[in-house]
Amino acid sequence: MPPTPSTPQAASLPAHAAYADALARVHDRIEQARSDAGLALSGVSAPGEATSSVRLLLATKTQDAAAVRAAVQADRAAGRGASVLVGENRVQELTEKAPALADLGLTTHLIGPLQSNKVNHALRALAQHGRGCIETVDSLALAEKIGSRVLASAPAHASPAGGQGGNHVEPSAPPASAVLDVYVQVNVSGEESKAGVSPDAAVDLALAVAQVSGLRLSGFMTIGARSTDEGLVRAGFTRLREIRDEVVGSGAHGTQGARELSMGMSQDLEWAVAEGATIVRVGSAVFGAR
């Protein structure tokens, strides 16, 4: 079983130092897991192969903006290269914290459920950061709602069409700034308490999402089974990797970049890394128990 995460909030340490220590331990765990899995070399995998590049996403549920800032700055001060990602579970928290964190230029992911009536709120908040992503797309209806709102909020774009007098314009393809990264969330464990499309329907959904204007299908996300059984948990992570590989290997338009695997949290990140995770979502191992 992976090591039990320790609580970083030692009374004798200021917040910045406590976060720096906790982050170092988490990065060490990731590096050790990569080494144990034979992933020491850098680079991006081909379908069917494990990926050696693993990014840390800070799951900041219930943490205020000051805590998020301190943790991000502590990680950046360590000079590790790629900055940590930030993940918000709740649209309300994302909206509340975004203005206070906008100056950091964060890459922020929504990692909790998104109701269709909260899409506008989520997009406005994500737009305040350097880059945004929604990891929890689990239906085509939700994908289409997000895509339509992304396009509606983008600056008008048009290109000359060579009409008489040179005054006629026709719409062109959306600019890169009018495209949002999304992941398809898959419920690999089948647990009723977890959101996500079923594994059997995941490939078809991903292929459909890849065709939605305004969206870029960039990967897949899951929450591992609530279990200490390594074989059971890893089987779910394996299933997500297989879904990713089938989608990317299909050659369908819009699927070539869908390589990210967001899976693994504080308690099971080693197992996720061994099964090909490219992003692990860690909260308690950095911020302490909620």
Side-chain angles (χ1 to χ4, degrees):
M1 181 177 179
T4 301
S6 56
T7 302
Q9 305 292 357
S12 61
L13 290 175
H16 189 283
Y19 291 139
D21 182 59
L23 284 160
R25 290 197 299 270
V26 172
H27 282 292
D28 286 346
R29 288 176 61 189
I30 293 172
E31 290 306 306
Q32 185 61 54
R34 291 174 62 219
S35 177
D36 291 346
L39 303 175
L41 298 176
S42 62
V44 178
S45 67
E49 297 176 348
T51 297
S52 61
S53 177
V54 182
R55 297 194 68 183
L56 172 60
L57 180 148
L58 294 175
T60 57
K61 180 179 178 180
T62 74
Q63 304 300 318
D64 61 22
V68 178
R69 176 179 292 274
V72 168
Q73 290 179 331
D75 192 76
R76 290 179 176 179
R80 294 187 181 90
S83 296
V84 295
L85 309 171
V86 170
E88 291 289 354
N89 287 76
R90 298 168 177 164
V91 173
Q92 181 176 349
E93 285 194 47
L94 172 66
T95 301
E96 291 172 351
K97 298 175 199 177
L101 299 171
D103 62 299
L104 293 177
L106 301 172
T107 298
T108 301
H109 291 206
L110 180 64
I111 58 174
L114 177 59
Q115 297 175 330
S116 60
N117 63 345
K118 297 290 181 66
V119 168
N120 287 348
H121 298 288
L123 293 179
R124 280 195 292 268
L126 289 173
Q128 295 183 60
H129 296 292
R131 186 174 178 183
C133 174
I134 295 176
E135 292 197 11
T136 50
V137 172
D138 59 3
S139 73
L140 182 57
L142 177 59
E144 290 175 337
K145 178 66 177 290
I146 297 169
S148 68
R149 298 315 303 160
V150 168
L151 294 177
S153 62
H157 53 280
S159 60
Q164 188 174 359
N167 295 322
H168 180 66
V169 295
E170 291 182 353
S172 65
S177 60
V179 179
L180 179 73
D181 289 317
V182 296
Y183 300 173
V184 167
Q185 182 177 5
V186 185
N187 184 355
V188 296
S189 71
E191 296 167 348
E192 293 184 2
S193 61
K194 291 184 171 65
V197 65
S198 71
D200 290 343
V203 171
D204 287 343
L205 175 59
L207 294 175
V209 170
Q211 308 309 312
V212 176
S213 295
L215 304 185
R216 179 188 298 111
L217 178 65
S218 298
F220 299 83
M221 177 267 219
T222 197
I223 301 171
R226 188 182 181 89
S227 174
T228 58
D229 183 334
E230 179 177 356
L232 176 64
V233 176
R234 288 185 62 163
F237 294 152
T238 299
R239 186 73 180 97
L240 191 71
R241 187 185 71 240
E242 292 171 345
I243 290 167
R244 187 276 308 270
D245 291 348
E246 183 174 348
V247 171
V248 173
S250 71
H253 177 73
T255 62
Q256 290 76 16
R259 295 180 178 275
E260 301 288 356
L261 291 177
S262 175
M263 58 190 194
M265 297 188 289
S266 294
Q267 71 276 12
D268 57 13
L269 71 84
E270 284 84 358
W271 298 340
V273 170
E275 294 301 333
T278 66
I279 295 173
V280 292
R281 308 182 304 275
V282 175
S284 62
V286 171
F287 297 105
R290 295 190 181 96

